[in-house]
């Protein structure tokens, strides 16, 4: 895709966000209802097809454009941005590792928005330590029979097809993890009650239960034991996506804060003319600009190479962008004073929404662990000329 095509798509997305998403954002947060009509509208615009090769009904695969879209949607609604971009996180393992038949059966319908995919790795006792999952897939002839429990599945309540990670060898650690595609109507597969969360309300977060759920061997993604690699490759992009959403929300909050500070008068002049307020807004802007630059560098790297260095940059971008977003949205609440805490203004929602970004796709402690491991084994990850 050339720059002109990308610019055109982003202009469509901006209009869609302004006209359809922004007016609904507060209501989606208040009700917690999944906005099916907006999902369908995004499908019609072709936004889901960007992750999917043309031969399977998409217009991709394209890594960078969907990240730019997620950032723009998040300026108005973090929840809808997550609803959109989680489709990419869940589609990546299918594009990467499914058989041709599975791709043909599912990808065109995902591209059109007709069916919704979800990604399920985490379990009640296995979050940061994802290799310790205990959901087990036992091979019985031409089927695998899944037993276990999953937690925190984004879009789980509304999804039609699930990428599920399960052990096929309990003794082999992360090399015993395999990936499977599980349709929602599989007997023995049920879903629990959605979590009632602080933020990102409207994107359902759902526990999943597998009780002798049998799926055909053909629904395995990749070979036995390849699942952890599939999950980790997906997580590199998911981290850039998390950074995208964080930067988008923070950009929205900063704009609101600057506009408010230009209008609100105290001590006889707009508060933006008080030096203390200017310094606060300047710090917010500089932190966000720094996070954005790192995110762009990480996107460029990962678009060109799937290396440890690119993964480390994805981890750094996720860490820096989500911490910047937490600070910027919290400070935006401060800029608005009492109004910052009121649901009449969006900044309190933005502050609640970004907290999850410091937690999912690997907590920020886990990102530091990944960066630390790189330093230990490979040294400083910068390009030679600046390292
Ligand atoms: C809104 C939301 C959506 C999600 N969506 C999905 C999804 O779609 N699919 C999916 O599979 N999962 C999903 N998750 C799960 C998410 O990935 C996990 O919550 C995350 O990996 C952390 O796991 P945990 O919650 O079990 O925390 P824990 O792993 O129990 O961590 C608790 C605390 O201990 C810290 N900690 C853990 N290990 C270390 C260590 N070695 N060193 C230092 N500190 C450590 C953590 O940083 C954290 O602060 C979602 C979570 C949320 C909140």
């Amino acid at each position: 895709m050339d720059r002109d095509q990308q610019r055109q798509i982003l202009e469509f997305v901006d209009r869609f966000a302004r006209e359809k998403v922004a007016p609904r954002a507060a209501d989606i947060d208040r009700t917690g209802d999944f906005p099916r009509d907006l999902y369908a509208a995004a499908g019609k615009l072709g936004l889901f097809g960007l992750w999917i090769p043309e031969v399977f009904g998409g217009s991709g695969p394209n890594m960078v454009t969907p990240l730019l879209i997620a950032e723009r949607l998040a300026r108005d609604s973090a929840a809808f941005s997550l609803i959109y971009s989680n489709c990419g996180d869940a589609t990546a393992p299918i594009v990467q590792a499914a058989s041709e038949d599975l791709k043909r059966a599912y990808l065109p319908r995902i591209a059109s928005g007709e069916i919704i995919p979800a990604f399920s790795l985490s379990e009640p006792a296995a979050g940061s330590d994802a290799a310790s999952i205990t959901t087990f897939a036992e091979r019985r002839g031409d089927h695998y029979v899944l037993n276990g429990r999953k937690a925190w599945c984004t879009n789980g309540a509304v999804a039609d097809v699930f990428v599920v990670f399960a052990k096929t060898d309990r003794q082999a650690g992360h090399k015993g993890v395999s990936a499977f595609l599980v349709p929602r109507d599989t007997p023995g597969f049920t879903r629990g009650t959605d979590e009632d969360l602080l933020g990102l309300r409207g994107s359902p977060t759902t526990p999943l239960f597998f009780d002798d759920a049998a799926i055909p061997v053909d629904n395995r993604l990749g070979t036995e034991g390849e699942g952890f690699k599939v999950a980790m490759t997906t997580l590199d992009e998911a981290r850039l996506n998390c950074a995208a959403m964080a930067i988008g929300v923070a950009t929205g909050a900063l704009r609101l804060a600057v506009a408010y500070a230009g209008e609100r008068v105290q001590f006889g002049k707009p508060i933006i003319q008080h030096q203390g307020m200017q310094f606060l807004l300047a710090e917010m802007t500089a932190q966000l600009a720094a996070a954005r630059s790192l995110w762009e560098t990480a996107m460029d790297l990962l678009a060109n190479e799937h290396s440890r260095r690119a993964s480390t940059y994805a981890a750094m971008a996720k860490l820096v962008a989500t911490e910047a977003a937490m600070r910027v949205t919290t400070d935006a609440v401060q800029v608005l004073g009492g109004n910052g805490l009121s649901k009449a203004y969006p900044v309190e929602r933005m502050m609640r929404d970004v907290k999850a970004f410091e937690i999912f796709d690997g907590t920020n402690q886990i990102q530091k662990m990944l960066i630390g491991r790189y330093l230990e084994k490979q040294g400083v990850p910068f390009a030679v000329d600046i390292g």
Side-chain angles (χ1 to χ4, degrees):
M1 174 178 301
D2 62 32
R3 289 215 167 258
D4 277 347
Q5 285 171 307
Q6 189 181 71
R7 196 174 311 119
Q8 218 172 32
I9 291 176
L10 294 178
E11 278 169 16
F12 270 127
V13 169
D14 281 343
R15 195 177 325 139
F16 173 61
R18 200 171 50 244
E19 292 174 3
K20 306 276 185 218
V21 179
R24 297 274 298 284
D27 210 41
I28 291 169
D29 174 62
R30 187 181 56 76
T31 62
D33 290 342
F34 181 83
R36 254 187 201 282
D37 57 331
L38 292 182
Y39 196 91
K44 275 208 181 105
L45 283 177
L47 303 189
F48 301 116
L50 290 164
W51 292 293
I52 295 170
E54 281 181 31
V55 281
F56 299 113
S59 58
N62 181 315
M63 192 197 91
V64 172
T65 310
L67 293 171
L68 300 177
I69 291 172
E71 189 269 321
R72 286 167 123 90
L73 292 174
R75 295 176 194 177
D76 292 306
S77 170
F80 187 68
S81 183
L82 175 62
I83 286 167
Y84 165 67
S85 54
N86 190 68
C87 176
D89 298 347
T91 301
I94 307 174
V95 172
Q96 192 190 329
S99 68
E100 292 292 298
D101 284 350
L102 272 188
K103 285 180 184 173
R104 227 169 279 124
Y106 288 101
L107 291 179
R109 291 193 289 153
I110 292 173
S112 68
E114 179 195 336
I115 60 170
I116 301 174
F119 177 97
S120 182
L121 175 63
S122 305
E123 298 184 355
S128 299
D129 184 9
S132 69
I133 58 170
T134 55
T135 296
F136 194 72
E138 187 190 347
R139 176 94 186 236
R140 288 190 206 156
D142 58 0
H143 280 73
Y144 283 96
V145 178
L146 270 65
N147 279 288
R149 187 177 169 180
K150 292 286 178 186
W152 306 108
C153 182
T154 295
N155 292 354
V158 294
D160 302 287
V161 63
F162 296 76
V163 173
V164 176
F165 296 86
K167 285 273 169 77
T168 42
D169 180 346
R170 289 192 179 94
Q171 315 306 326
H174 72 272
K175 291 194 173 140
V177 176
S178 302
F180 301 92
L181 206 57
V182 181
R184 71 182 291 162
D185 55 2
T186 302
F189 170 41
T190 53
R191 285 170 280 189
T193 308
D194 294 339
E195 302 291 341
D196 189 5
L197 296 181
L198 172 76
L200 299 177
R201 299 170 65 79
S203 163
T205 312
T206 315
L208 313 178
F209 308 104
F210 299 91
D211 187 10
D212 282 337
I215 51 158
V217 167
D218 287 349
N219 280 32
R220 195 185 61 222
L221 304 177
T223 57
E224 270 199 14
E226 212 188 341
F228 203 72
K229 198 174 127 212
V230 170
M232 293 305 120
T233 308
T234 303
L235 279 175
D236 281 342
E237 278 185 36
R239 284 172 186 144
L240 290 184
N241 193 34
C242 193
M245 293 188 285
I247 289 166
V249 181
T251 302
L254 179 64
R255 282 179 174 170
L256 288 166
V258 170
Y260 187 92
E263 282 174 10
R264 174 72 175 166
V265 174
Q266 290 292 281
F267 298 99
K269 56 185 179 182
I271 56 173
I272 200 168
Q273 290 177 15
H274 295 297
Q275 191 184 50
M277 180 55 70
Q278 280 188 355
F279 280 12
L280 181 61
L281 291 166
E283 279 169 20
M284 291 160 70
T285 309
Q287 283 164 0
L288 184 52
R292 186 179 280 277
S293 291
L294 177 55
W295 172 61
E296 285 168 355
T297 304
M299 275 196 294
D300 275 353
L301 254 183
L302 197 65
N304 288 311
E305 58 181 64
H306 272 278
S307 61
R308 281 189 197 284
R309 197 163 82 93
S311 299
T312 305
Y313 262 84
M316 292 196 295
K318 196 267 187 191
L319 172 69
V320 169
T322 58
E323 287 190 351
M326 199 67 246
R327 277 197 304 272
V328 168
T329 53
T330 306
D331 287 345
V333 170
Q334 193 70 20
V335 171
L336 269 71
N339 280 335
L341 300 172
S342 164
K343 288 199 192 299
Y345 292 82
V347 288
E348 61 81 30
R349 163 167 53 83
M350 292 167 155
M351 187 178 106
R352 285 187 285 108
D353 283 342
V354 295
K355 184 59 207 172
F357 300 151
E358 295 189 312
I359 292 173
F360 64 51
D361 293 335
T363 67
N364 282 5
Q365 283 78 14
I366 295 305
Q367 308 309 317
K368 289 179 195 173
M369 206 167 90
L370 297 172
I371 300 161
R373 269 192 206 146
Y374 187 93
L375 293 173
E376 188 192 340
K377 294 195 177 125
Q378 256 102 2
V380 175
F382 306 146
V384 180
D385 52 339
I386 54 169

